[in-house]
């Protein structure tokens, strides 16, 4: 794999020079199980929105985009495990051209997962901002067609960026650009939050009269953002330490936790659908209808 995503070998080689912090190794079955659950949960979210016309609104389009990002992160690990199994069985030539190409495709899925999550959360934040402070113009400003166009642009940029990052992943500037997207997204969302709170203080009466659903959507975004930071920040820090100080004893001890950080990323795909279901009565009803229809055809 490339410099960014081929972390297993980097960690092992680093830790061989520093026995004080041996790598934390988790069974591959753990990764595979969590990944399969993540794919299935987010697939249910997508099916619920597709099958229910009352959920086909811009807000749920952006949620579907986040669900697709989570699915890509889970598929990355599933496909990686399949490649490892084929290689161990002798069906793939180690370091051969096919395996190298397959690694690039798998790495692209992983990078797309992070980029898609960042952009989807930013789109949800912008949507919540317009919903709260431009409620009367929301239906005119944020139409399903405009939301679809925004998502097409977002994913086109993500795919282009993902291919570029994988192609130049051995170069430090590519690593810096990749990791810089994480704090940039946080700055963008925090700026929206800061502006929301300032407007809330100066227009307290106006904000208090807003529909509770609008404020509830902002709270849901806060929870999603908090879970995203908790699950992805350790891995982003891992990339930076692996790039700039892999031989430092303190960095090496943190690098030993690579598989723990990888599990956190996998868990993000599992947690997000529960947040949707817990915070959205409409989605809960859609899930119940899907279960009932499947049970009683």
């Amino acid at each position: 794999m490339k410099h960014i995503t081929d972390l297993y070998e980097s960690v092992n080689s680093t830790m061989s020079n520093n026995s004080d912090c041996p790598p934390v190794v988790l069974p591959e079955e753990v990764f595979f199980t969590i990944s399969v659950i993540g794919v299935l949960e987010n697939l249910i979210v997508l099916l619920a929105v597709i099958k229910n016309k009352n959920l086909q609104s811009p807000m749920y389009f952006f949620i579907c985009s986040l669900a697709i990002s989570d699915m890509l992160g889970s598929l990355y690990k599933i496909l990686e495990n399949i490649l490892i199994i084929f290689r161990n069985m002798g069906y793939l030539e180690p370091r051969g051209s096919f395996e190298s190409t397959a690694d690039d495709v798998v790495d692209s899925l992983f990078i797309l997962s992070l980029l898609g999550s960042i952009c989807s959360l930013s789109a949800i934040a912008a949507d919540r901002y317009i919903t709260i402070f431009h409620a009367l113009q929301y239906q005119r400003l944020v139409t399903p067609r405009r939301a679809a166009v925004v998502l097409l642009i977002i994913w086109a940029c993500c795919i282009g960026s993902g291919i570029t990052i994988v192609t130049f992943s051995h170069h430090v500037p590519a690593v810096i650009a990749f990791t810089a997207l994480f704090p940039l997204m946080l700055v963008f969302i925090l700026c929206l939050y800061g502006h929301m709170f300032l407007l809330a203080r100066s227009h307290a009466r106006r904000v208090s009269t807003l529909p509770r659903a609008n404020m509830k959507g902002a709270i849901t975004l806060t929870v999603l953002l908090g879970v995203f930071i908790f699950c992805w920040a350790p891995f982003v820090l891992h990339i930076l330490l692996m790039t700039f100080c892999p031989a430092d004893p303190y960095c090496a001890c943190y690098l030993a936790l690579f598989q723990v950080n990888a599990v956190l990323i996998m868990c993000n795909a599992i947690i997000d659908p529960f947040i949707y279901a817990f915070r959205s009565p409409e989605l809960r009803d859609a899930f119940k209808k899907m279960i009932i229809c499947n049970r009683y055809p």
Side-chain angles (χ1 to χ4, degrees):
M1 288 187 179
K2 300 295 185 180
H3 179 63
I4 292 179
T5 53
D6 188 17
L7 300 175
Y8 287 104
E9 294 183 3
S10 298
V11 171
N12 290 333
S13 62
T14 300
M15 300 318 299
S16 64
N17 298 323
N18 191 334
S19 58
D20 293 338
C21 299
V24 178
V25 180
L26 300 177
E28 283 297 321
E29 292 79 7
V30 173
F31 290 95
F32 188 78
T33 302
I34 295 176
S35 298
V36 171
I37 295 174
V39 170
L40 293 177
E41 285 187 0
N42 286 282
L43 185 60
I44 290 174
V45 173
L46 294 176
L47 291 176
V49 174
I50 292 173
K51 289 187 174 182
N52 292 269
K53 292 184 178 181
N54 58 328
L55 295 180
Q56 295 175 7
S57 63
M59 180 184 69
Y60 286 105
F61 289 169
F62 297 136
I63 287 178
C64 284
S65 177
L66 184 59
I68 292 173
S69 302
D70 289 337
M71 284 183 62
L72 291 177
S74 297
L75 284 172
Y76 150 78
K77 191 58 184 176
I78 294 174
L79 293 177
E80 184 185 63
N81 285 351
I82 293 174
L83 288 175
I84 292 174
I85 292 173
F86 282 172
R87 183 176 62 184
N88 294 339
M89 294 176 64
Y91 293 114
L92 290 179
E93 179 186 354
R95 301 297 177 182
S97 59
F98 179 81
E99 184 184 13
S100 178
T101 302
D103 280 344
D104 287 342
V105 174
V106 172
D107 291 349
S108 298
L109 291 179
F110 178 80
I111 294 172
L112 269 178
S113 176
L114 177 58
L115 296 179
S117 296
I118 289 174
C119 294
S120 298
L121 285 170
S122 300
I124 294 173
D127 179 76
R128 292 301 89 199
Y129 179 86
I130 298 174
T131 301
I132 292 174
F133 293 104
H134 301 280
L136 297 179
Q137 294 83 26
Y138 179 81
Q139 298 293 334
R140 179 176 58 84
L141 295 175
V142 186
T143 63
R145 183 176 180 178
R146 288 181 178 177
V149 171
V150 169
L151 289 176
L152 285 175
I153 295 174
I154 284 176
W155 281 100
C157 293
C158 288
I159 292 172
S161 300
I163 294 174
T164 302
I165 291 172
V166 170
T167 303
F168 299 99
S169 58
H170 284 288
H171 301 278
V172 173
V175 178
I176 296 175
F178 176 68
T179 54
L181 293 173
F182 190 83
L184 287 175
M185 180 272 295
L186 295 182
V187 170
F188 170 74
I189 295 179
L190 289 176
C191 286
L192 287 182
Y193 267 57
H195 195 208
M196 278 193 257
F197 288 132
L198 289 175
L199 287 177
R201 290 186 62 183
S202 60
H203 303 285
R205 181 177 300 177
R206 177 191 171 193
V207 174
S208 64
T209 60
L210 288 175
R212 291 182 60 186
N214 292 352
M215 297 305 296
K216 189 175 181 179
I219 296 174
T220 301
L221 170 63
T222 304
V223 178
L224 288 172
L225 180 62
V227 170
F228 175 79
I229 295 172
F230 178 80
C231 293
W232 279 91
F235 178 80
V236 174
L237 177 60
H238 183 105
I239 293 177
L240 292 174
L241 296 181
M242 186 190 68
T243 302
F244 295 107
C245 62
D248 184 89
Y250 295 104
C251 294
C253 283
Y254 185 83
L255 295 179
L257 300 175
F258 164 70
Q259 292 199 359
V260 177
N261 297 335
V263 166
L264 284 177
I265 295 175
M266 301 296 105
C267 288
N268 185 43
I270 295 178
I271 296 173
D272 281 352
F274 281 103
I275 297 174
Y276 309 147
F278 180 76
R279 301 292 303 177
S280 173
E282 295 85 0
L283 266 180
R284 286 200 300 271
D285 292 339
F287 293 154
K288 291 177 182 178
K289 291 179 181 178
M290 289 176 61
I291 294 173
I292 292 174
C293 290
N294 290 333
R295 186 175 298 178
Y296 304 104

